[in-house]
Amino acid sequence: MRESGVGERLKGAFRRYPTGVAVISAVGPDGPVGLTASSVASVSVSPPALSFSVMGTRSARILLDAPSFVVHLLGTRHVALAREFAHSAGDRFTPEQGWSTLPSGEPVLFDAVAALRAAPLHLVPVGDATLVVASVLEVFHGPDDDRPLIHHARTFVTAARL
């Protein structure tokens, strides 16, 4: 099978695979930037590290240049925010979305399921994406009353307990 055919089949396979939803925020030279990601994973507890990948968007390029960023693990209370940050024309960092600013300058949502302040350790270019491995510097836990937000088959869904 040709590589382009495998790439399309790969996208189709991962549309069938549910993942958690995160918004990653940083501060750039012209203000805050952010994007929605479904590729966040825990890498190590000792030392604390996580990973995610981004495509070459304007927000991603600024985020990759930032000395630190915040990975927000989202629940259903933030489905509208996840949608806004998933495309370049979305409303971002509005007062209604509940943003605060950390002393280190990054935008943060304290009511996310968790907010993980991190600094890049490794940036690995892979095709048109960049894999980021980051050291976790701080962890903020949000309210316990939110349900998981999941990305599956190109839509946001929630999970019911089995």
Side-chain angles (χ1 to χ4, degrees):
M1 186 173 276
R2 292 187 354 226
E3 185 175 324
S4 63
V6 172
E8 287 303 310
R9 292 187 59 77
L10 177 70
K11 287 194 302 189
F14 274 92
R15 283 186 193 116
R16 297 171 178 220
Y17 182 69
T19 61
V21 179
V23 163
I24 305 170
S25 65
V27 64
D30 298 323
V33 296
L35 51 84
T36 299
S38 60
S39 60
V40 175
S42 172
V43 172
S44 173
V45 173
S46 183
L50 58 80
S51 70
F52 60 89
S53 64
V54 294
M55 303 300 279
T57 65
R58 178 186 167 279
S59 292
R61 288 189 301 274
I62 294 168
L63 189 141
L64 293 173
D65 286 338
S68 59
F69 42 78
V70 180
V71 177
H72 301 86
L73 307 179
L74 302 183
T76 55
R77 78 179 65 207
H78 288 113
V79 66
L81 179 120
R83 286 186 179 119
E84 292 296 335
F85 278 75
H87 58 89
S88 61
D91 287 335
R92 298 175 183 207
F93 304 105
T94 66
E96 299 78 29
Q97 292 171 338
W99 292 97
S100 296
T101 304
L102 291 173
S104 49
E106 303 91 348
V108 64
L109 289 168
F110 286 116
D111 66 344
V113 172
L116 311 153
R117 183 172 166 264
L121 287 172
H122 304 287
L123 303 177
V124 182
V126 182
D128 57 357
T130 300
L131 172 67
V132 178
V133 178
S135 173
V136 178
L137 307 172
E138 295 180 89
V139 177
F140 306 96
H141 287 242
D144 289 332
D145 63 344
D146 208 352
R147 295 188 57 169
L149 182 59
I150 298 166
H151 191 254
H152 181 255
R154 292 183 153 177
T155 192
F156 297 110
V157 297
T158 190
R161 291 187 179 223
L162 296 176

